[in-house]
Amino acid sequence: VASIGEKNAYLLSAVMLCALLLCAPGAPVEDAPTNSPAGDHSGEEEEERPSDQLSASPFWALILDATKQHKEEFENEFKNDGLKYIYLEGYKFTSLPACCPHYNFSKEACLHRMFHGLLIYTVLLKYVEKEYPGNSICKEFRNYSGLLINLIKGKMRKREQVTALTSSQEGQLLRDLDNSASFHRKMTAHSILRQLHYFLLEGKRMISRKETRQSQAMRTVIPITFNQMLKR
């Protein structure tokens, strides 16, 4: 029969094991960021209901429904010139935000990139509207982008690290696009709309993948009860 001291030792060991299990990181190694915000840790273990997941947001879908019409609009506008959508590949410029990478990038880092990128597109679309007043894609983006940006920020653990663009930064973005040639201005506007579509599409895809992985990881964890630990 174990003495009281031995029983207390077993109890202390069980408590310490519980603490270690609770502190153990739960995120897969693949999700570790290589270029994430300072102080970012894996900590993406809180499971969300499917309806609460960012990738399921109707605002995201509404903007994408509008941007996916751009290919047809472009080819209709330039059908007499024989221009195909692929032509816009040659009209990329440095102010266009980069998409979230497929590998070695955390959900948190992707959220920060999406947030900052959408702020930039909010400014770039002013250029599009100047060239194409009343553009339907710009209208839909204006209606729902603010709601989507707030949702993205709400999912961040380091939301204090993101800030709005200054008026100086906004002005510089627009000045960088200045060009006197009418054809070049039109191509620049269309390039912005094309890249916006893929930026949103890839961002949604990457965040959805992170959310799915996170949910699967939570479901595969087998809880160990306190009594089970004492029996070992």
Side-chain angles (χ1 to χ4, degrees):
V1 179
S3 66
I4 294 177
E6 289 173 330
K7 289 181 179 179
N8 287 339
Y10 293 144
L11 182 61
L12 179 60
S13 298
V15 171
M16 291 178 66
L17 181 56
C18 280
L20 287 171
L21 288 171
L22 289 172
C23 292
V29 173
E30 181 181 324
D31 287 350
T34 58
N35 189 25
S36 57
D40 185 22
H41 301 286
S42 59
E44 297 171 2
E45 66 279 355
E46 292 184 9
E47 185 178 11
E48 297 174 308
R49 293 174 299 178
S51 60
D52 293 333
Q53 292 181 345
L54 177 59
S55 59
S57 167
F59 307 130
W60 209 314
L62 286 165
I63 302 173
L64 276 171
D65 284 344
T67 58
K68 72 181 180 182
Q69 306 300 322
H70 178 241
K71 181 177 185 291
E72 183 179 354
E73 292 177 4
F74 175 84
E75 294 188 343
N76 284 339
E77 181 180 349
F78 295 99
K79 62 183 177 182
N80 293 333
D81 300 309
L83 291 183
K84 296 298 182 182
Y85 202 52
I86 191 68
Y87 183 79
L88 292 175
E89 278 287 334
Y91 272 86
K92 291 181 180 178
F93 36 92
T94 56
S95 55
L96 288 172
C99 297
C100 294
H102 285 208
Y103 303 101
N104 299 322
F105 214 63
S106 72
K107 178 182 171 184
E108 177 76 1
C110 190
L111 290 173
H112 280 250
R113 179 166 290 189
M114 292 302 301
F115 179 90
H116 186 65
L118 287 173
L119 291 182
I120 291 176
Y121 275 112
T122 299
V123 178
L124 296 180
L125 288 186
K126 293 178 182 179
Y127 179 93
V128 178
E129 287 188 293
K130 184 178 179 181
E131 196 64 33
Y132 290 96
N135 179 272
S136 60
I137 296 174
C138 293
K139 180 181 178 181
E140 292 299 293
F141 184 86
R142 189 168 56 248
N143 287 340
Y144 302 112
S145 60
L147 298 167
L148 180 58
I149 287 169
N150 285 336
L151 280 178
I152 291 172
K153 187 174 182 180
K155 296 293 183 181
M156 294 177 184
R157 299 191 315 280
K158 299 289 186 179
R159 65 192 68 170
E160 71 280 358
Q161 294 180 355
V162 296
T163 57
L165 297 176
T166 65
S167 58
S168 175
Q169 289 172 321
E170 291 185 8
Q172 188 60 52
L173 281 171
L174 295 175
R175 284 192 296 273
D176 288 344
L177 301 178
D178 282 345
N179 193 286
S180 59
S182 175
F183 179 77
H184 180 79
R185 292 198 307 270
K186 289 182 183 295
M187 291 301 104
T188 299
H190 280 292
S191 178
I192 291 169
L193 293 175
R194 180 180 185 273
Q195 291 304 119
L196 171 63
H197 176 71
Y198 289 111
F199 179 80
L200 287 164
L201 191 65
E202 286 300 309
K204 183 177 185 292
R205 185 176 296 157
M206 291 307 301
I207 289 174
S208 177
R209 184 181 298 176
K210 299 290 184 182
E211 289 173 334
T212 299
R213 233 176 242 173
Q214 182 176 314
S215 296
Q216 290 174 343
M218 290 298 297
R219 286 196 294 269
T220 56
V221 172
I222 302 174
I224 302 175
T225 66
F226 189 72
N227 288 335
Q228 286 176 325
M229 296 176 66
L230 286 176
K231 291 177 182 178
R232 295 187 173 186

